[in-house]
């Protein structure tokens, strides 16, 4: 089955700086990669996704890149704000959705 | 648009008591439904999933069970809670038969077993 590894497990950045979270996956058949943001006490919310036929996707301050050859994908958040503080999960879908272990992002004011 | 509901939002139960958590989805038909548990604010553990009424697949052996009595209703149950059942329970759905479909999560139920 699919195995998704996510790094780092915790990340602290100063407000205004960029944050990068990286994930690797094992199943070369995986073709869809969503990212979720989970605020404290709430369910994860989809924030951006990328399909295997695309190398990069942007939505305002967030972007995701995908390297199919290396089987890794990354989330980039620019100009971070305190409200970006949350746990972020990557995921990969080959047959079933497999989640990474999560990254606790803290944006320091 | 689709909406997913979970209740209760918070539950405190004594060890050995029964449990029933409910999840309902609106605005879609014949969804796939999922129950996850999240401990310590991290890591989503898939407990059960269902592709249709009465069809339940279990991912891990445990003290819990799931049922799907209606198309858009998913219930998580236990006859006797254990301390280790404490956690944050999340229900999710995705579209049946789709390929590369992401899951959408409910607001969660925080369960504390004392």
């Amino acid at each position: 089955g699919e195995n998704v590894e996510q790094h780092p497990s915790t990340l602290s950045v100063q407000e205004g700086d960029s944050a990068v979270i990286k994930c690797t996956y094992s199943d070369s058949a995986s073709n869809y990669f969503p990212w979720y943001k989970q605020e404290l006490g709430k369910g994860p919310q989809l924030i951006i996704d990328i399909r295997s036929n695309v190398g990069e996707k942007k939505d305002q301050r967030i972007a995701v890149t995908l390297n199919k050859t290396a089987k890794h994908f990354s989330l980039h958040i620019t100009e971070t704000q305190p409200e970006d503080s949350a746990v972020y999960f990557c995921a990969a879908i080959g047959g079933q959705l497999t989640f990474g272990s999560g990254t606790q992002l803290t944006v320091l004011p | 648009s689709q909406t997913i509901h979970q209740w209760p939002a918070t539950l405190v139960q004594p060890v050995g008591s029964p449990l029933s958590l409910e999840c309902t989805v609106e605005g879609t038909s014949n969804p796939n439904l999922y129950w996850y548990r999240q401990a310590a604010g991290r890591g989503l553990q898939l407990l059960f999933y269902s592709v249709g009424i009465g069809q339940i697949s279990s991912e891990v052996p445990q003290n819990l069970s799931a049922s799907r009595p209606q198309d858009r209703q998913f219930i998580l149950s236990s006859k006797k809670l254990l301390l280790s059942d404490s956690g944050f329970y999340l229900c999710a759905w995705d579209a049946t038969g789709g390929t590369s479909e992401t899951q959408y999560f409910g607001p969660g139920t925080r369960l504390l077993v004392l």
Side-chain angles (χ1 to χ4, degrees):
Chain A
E2 176 66 275
N3 181 48
V4 177
E5 295 191 359
Q6 182 171 346
H7 300 281
S9 58
T10 60
L11 178 62
S12 293
V13 299
Q14 290 295 135
E15 183 177 357
D17 287 351
S18 296
V20 180
I21 301 170
K22 298 182 179 181
C23 290
T24 60
Y25 61 99
S26 60
D27 187 354
S28 56
S30 290
N31 54 15
Y32 178 60
F33 308 90
W35 285 88
Y36 292 84
K37 175 184 180 182
Q38 185 178 24
E39 297 177 344
L40 192 62
K42 298 183 179 179
Q45 298 297 307
L46 178 69
I47 56 172
I48 195 168
D49 55 17
I50 190 167
R51 298 188 184 272
S52 58
N53 58 347
V54 175
E56 184 177 1
K57 184 176 179 180
K58 281 186 177 181
D59 183 4
Q60 300 183 338
R61 295 187 297 108
I62 60 173
V64 58
T65 59
L66 171 65
N67 183 326
K68 283 204 68 181
T69 303
K71 289 191 280 189
H72 66 71
F73 56 113
S74 301
L75 178 71
H76 305 252
I77 306 174
T78 59
E79 301 173 19
T80 53
Q81 301 168 6
E83 52 265 37
D84 295 328
S85 295
V87 177
Y88 291 81
F89 291 97
C90 63
I93 296 180
Q96 199 163 33
L97 186 62
T98 302
F99 287 91
S101 55
T103 296
Q104 173 69 63
L105 173 64
T106 302
V107 180
L108 305 169
Chain B
S1 64
Q2 299 84 11
T3 311
I4 180 168
H5 302 279
Q6 286 185 248
W7 63 90
T10 307
L11 191 59
V12 180
Q13 292 284 94
V15 169
S17 64
L19 173 73
S20 181
L21 303 182
E22 190 165 341
C23 170
T24 59
V25 181
E26 296 177 356
T28 187
S29 295
N30 198 25
N32 296 320
L33 296 172
Y34 304 83
W35 279 113
Y36 290 87
R37 177 168 56 203
Q38 188 175 35
R42 191 80 63 83
L44 297 164
Q45 180 188 29
L46 179 62
L47 301 176
F48 301 96
Y49 68 94
S50 171
V51 299
I53 296 173
Q55 300 180 62
I56 308 295
S57 296
S58 175
E59 286 294 300
V60 293
Q62 58 209 312
N63 185 43
L64 303 169
S65 62
S67 63
R68 185 169 176 175
Q70 300 180 45
D71 181 44
R72 288 169 289 178
Q73 183 185 31
F74 205 21
I75 296 172
L76 185 68
S77 304
S78 174
K79 292 182 179 178
K80 287 187 178 182
L81 283 168
L82 306 172
L83 287 174
S84 57
D85 291 324
S86 294
F88 192 47
Y89 288 83
L90 290 157
C91 181
W93 75 274
D94 65 23
T96 301
T99 56
S100 304
E101 293 287 347
T102 197
Q103 291 177 15
Y104 299 93
F105 287 85
T109 293
R110 186 160 303 282
L111 172 65
L112 179 60
V113 183
L114 301 176

